[in-house]
């Protein structure tokens, strides 16, 4: 059977199994096993194991559970609630002010928690009822929560960029620096959109009541007391990475320890909370690593069959214009984002795309940010749209899934604008790594 036919069968099999509700890890892993046995015999199953071990034999992967533990402790110790309470009283009489505050808090939570599901659920429980109580437009409020909560992948430390860095064999510290400006650009676009819409139509985002906005300055400042240490821990982790004081893995361990101390100081630390944190870290890492096993196994067998070279040839033959090939790659990211998670997209596409990208002369650090922005779109786009389902679990009963899906499109448009800006001006993401590291 020729490689073109095999490629079509793989794509058709994956599509059919995913529509049946089978998890991607088992879809890709089972296809890898069937291909290995039918094409090369039972001894070829060693490829499945060796391919996985080769990727997992990286000390930097230890940072993943450490960052997850740090994020989970921050989440369960009430940092999000206190942050929102500390900032929302400063919104004053600004139209759309609570929406702006929600985006601002989401950016800070991205640096302190960074777990998208937890961040969206927290904002859904804390900010969404407040906005609905004030009379915010339901779709605007929902879109603010899902889009703002998804910013966690654009604000370092980002789990997506850790795995991309390991796959592309580029500096994770450079990736963390490169994503800061595009992440803040995306947050700025959200804020501008909220202010413009609410400025044109004040009924969409009414200001705070006189009672909420008339709190004395001393009381407003006192609200920040409980969040200073957790935010300082997150800032210390990032500074230690960028300044070269510690590696990614060491900084992640320091962050997990610092978050534990911060939770203890806040009086939120308990054995039951630590048990919940460790179980959540185990579930999160287990899910991610099973996806790594399955997709890496499939790519390993496909590569042995000559599939990677075939795919590169097809991709390179699309056009002689690098910009068109790049557009196809981004289009594939966005299209796959309608159906599967970022980790599957990463490991299914990068072994094919990265060699072509290097031949075209594109910077892999910049391409990592392009991929990350594409995954922002994937978080919101139905029918998969994980951000929508995270919020549905925390939203009031009168906020339907249809309402949540309908609220995403203006924010998806803003994400596309940010993506196009970063593609058009690569230095927007590259100047900060060059400034720090030369």
């Amino acid at each position: 059977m020729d490689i073109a036919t095999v490629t079509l069968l793989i794509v058709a099999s994956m599509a059919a199994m995913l529509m049946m509700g089978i998890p991607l890890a088992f879809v890709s892993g089972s296809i890898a096993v069937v291909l290995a046995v039918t094409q090369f015999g039972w001894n070829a199953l060693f490829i499945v194991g060796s391919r996985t071990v080769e990727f997992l034999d990286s000390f930097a992967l230890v940072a993943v559970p450490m960052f997850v533990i740090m994020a989970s402790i921050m989440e369960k110790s009430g940092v999000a609630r206190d942050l929102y309470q500390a900032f929302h009283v400063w919104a004053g009489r600004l139209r759309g002010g609570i929406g702006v505050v929600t985006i601002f808090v989401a950016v800070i939570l991205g640096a302190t928690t960074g777990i998208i599901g937890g961040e969206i659920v927290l904002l859904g429980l804390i900010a969404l009822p407040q906005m609905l109580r004030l009379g915010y437009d339901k779709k605007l409020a929902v879109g603010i929560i899902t889009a703002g909560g998804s910013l966690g992948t654009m604000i370092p430390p980002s789990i997506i960029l850790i795995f991309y860095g390991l796959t592309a064999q580029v500096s994770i510290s450079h990736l963390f620096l490169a994503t800061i400006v595009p992440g803040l650009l995306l947050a700025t676009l959200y804020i501008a959109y909220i202010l413009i819409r609410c400025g044109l139509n004040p009924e969409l985002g009414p200001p705070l009541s006189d009672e909420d906005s008339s709190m004395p300055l001393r009381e407003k400042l006192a609200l920040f007391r409980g969040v200073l240490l957790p935010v300082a821990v997150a800032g210390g982790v990032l500074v230690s990475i960028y300044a070269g004081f510690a590696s990614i893995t060491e900084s992640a361990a320091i962050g997990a320890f610092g978050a534990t101390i911060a939770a203890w100081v806040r009086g939120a630390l308990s054995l039951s909370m630590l048990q919940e944190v460790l179980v959540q870290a185990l579930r999160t890492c287990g899910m991610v690593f099973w996806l790594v096993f399955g997709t890496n196994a499939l790519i390993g067998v496909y590569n042995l069959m000559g599939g990677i070279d075939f795919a590169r040839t097809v991709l390179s033959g699309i056009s002689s214009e690098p910009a068109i090939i790049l557009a196809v790659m981004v289009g594939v990211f966005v299209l796959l984002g309608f159906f599967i998670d970022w980790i599957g997209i990463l490991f299914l596409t990068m072994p094919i795309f990265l060699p072509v990208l290097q031949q075209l002369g594109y910077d892999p650090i910049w391409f990592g940010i392009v991929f990350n922005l594409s995954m922002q779109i994937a978080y919101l786009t139905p029918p998969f749209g994980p951000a929508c389902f995270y919020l549905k679990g925390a939203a009031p009963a009168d906020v339907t899934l249809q309402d949540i899906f309908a609220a995403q499109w203006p924010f998806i448009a803003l994400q596309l604008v940010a993506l196009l800006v970063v593609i058009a001006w690569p230095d927007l993401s590259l100047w900060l790594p060059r400034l720090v590291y030369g």
Side-chain angles (χ1 to χ4, degrees):
M1 189 180 298
D2 66 277
I3 190 61
T5 304
V6 171
T7 302
L8 290 174
L9 286 175
I10 291 174
V11 173
S13 300
M14 290 187 69
M17 295 170 76
L18 287 171
M19 285 189 290
M20 291 168 62
I22 302 174
L24 177 62
F26 303 120
V27 169
S28 53
S30 60
I31 293 175
V33 169
V34 170
L35 283 177
V37 172
T38 56
Q39 298 297 316
F40 305 106
W42 290 100
N43 290 336
L45 289 178
F46 286 107
I47 301 170
V48 176
S50 62
R51 173 82 181 187
T52 300
V53 170
E54 181 182 348
F55 180 82
L56 292 179
D57 188 21
S58 172
F59 186 62
L61 274 180
V62 179
V64 175
M66 291 294 102
F67 278 132
V68 172
I69 289 171
M70 169 185 161
S72 186
I73 291 175
M74 294 287 198
E75 171 193 336
K76 296 182 183 302
S77 62
V79 172
R81 181 189 63 249
D82 289 353
L83 266 175
Y84 186 79
Q85 180 64 22
F87 280 108
H88 97 281
V89 297
W90 291 83
R93 306 299 298 169
L94 181 66
R95 295 170 181 171
I98 297 299
V100 171
V101 164
T102 302
I103 298 295
F104 191 72
V105 170
V107 171
I108 299 177
L109 290 179
T112 54
T113 64
I115 298 179
I116 299 303
E119 190 172 337
I120 291 173
V121 169
L122 283 170
L123 290 174
L125 292 172
I126 299 167
L128 184 57
Q130 174 78 336
M131 285 191 280
L132 295 178
R133 180 183 68 84
L134 289 173
Y136 269 62
D137 177 74
K138 184 191 296 185
K139 290 182 180 178
L140 178 62
V142 164
I144 290 170
I145 300 295
T146 51
S150 300
L151 283 171
T153 62
M154 293 299 299
I155 307 297
S158 168
I159 301 297
I160 288 182
L161 291 180
I162 292 176
F163 278 97
Y164 174 84
L166 293 172
T167 305
Q169 298 183 338
V170 296
S171 168
I172 297 172
S173 300
H174 284 61
L175 287 167
F176 280 3
L177 277 175
T179 195
I180 291 176
V181 175
L184 294 178
L185 168 66
L186 190 55
T188 302
L189 288 174
Y190 292 159
I191 290 172
Y193 171 74
I194 295 167
L195 291 176
I196 291 172
R197 284 208 66 189
C198 294
L200 295 174
N201 186 357
E203 293 182 359
L204 294 177
L208 278 173
S209 65
D210 293 334
E211 181 182 353
D212 289 333
S213 60
S214 61
M215 182 181 293
L217 179 61
R218 179 179 298 180
E219 293 182 22
K220 289 182 178 180
L221 293 174
L223 292 173
F224 286 102
R225 191 177 303 155
V227 299
L228 287 178
L229 184 56
V231 172
V233 168
V237 168
L238 297 179
V239 169
S240 67
I241 294 172
Y242 302 145
F245 297 148
S247 67
I248 292 289
T249 304
E250 293 164 343
S251 298
I254 293 171
F257 178 74
T260 305
I261 297 300
W264 175 69
V265 171
R266 289 168 57 86
L269 188 65
S270 66
L271 287 176
S272 61
M273 189 191 84
L274 285 177
Q275 183 180 7
E276 291 178 13
V277 165
L278 294 176
V279 169
Q280 181 175 354
L282 183 62
R283 286 175 176 169
T284 301
C285 295
M287 177 194 68
V288 170
F289 288 142
W290 270 111
L291 282 165
V292 171
F293 298 159
T295 51
N296 259 294
L298 178 58
I299 289 297
V301 176
Y302 188 61
N303 188 27
L304 189 64
M305 297 173 63
I308 301 295
D309 292 333
F310 167 74
R312 291 172 189 163
T313 302
V314 171
L315 192 61
S316 300
I318 291 174
S319 173
S320 58
E321 291 293 331
I324 295 178
I325 297 176
L326 176 65
V328 170
M329 292 179 180
V330 174
V332 169
F333 292 153
V334 174
L335 180 62
L336 289 177
F338 279 82
F339 307 104
I340 60 177
D341 206 349
W342 65 267
I343 191 73
I345 300 173
L346 175 68
F347 286 106
L348 288 173
T349 60
M350 289 306 168
I352 300 171
F353 287 178
L354 285 171
V356 176
L357 188 81
Q358 292 171 351
Q359 292 176 5
L360 297 175
Y362 288 116
D363 190 304
I365 297 290
W366 164 80
F367 191 66
I369 309 308
V370 170
F371 173 76
N372 207 6
L373 278 167
S374 301
M375 294 306 97
Q376 286 287 298
I377 299 171
Y379 272 111
L380 303 189
T381 47
F384 183 66
C388 301
F389 292 98
Y390 292 145
L391 180 59
K392 177 55 183 170
D398 61 334
V399 178
T400 66
L401 193 58
Q402 288 74 19
D403 291 331
I404 296 174
F405 281 149
Q408 306 311 311
W409 300 111
F411 292 91
I412 291 173
L414 295 173
Q415 291 170 339
L416 287 170
V417 169
L419 178 60
L420 292 174
V421 169
V422 171
I423 290 174
W425 291 282
D427 282 343
L428 193 69
S429 56
L430 295 177
W431 74 271
L432 194 54
R434 289 171 183 165
L435 179 66
V436 174
Y437 296 111

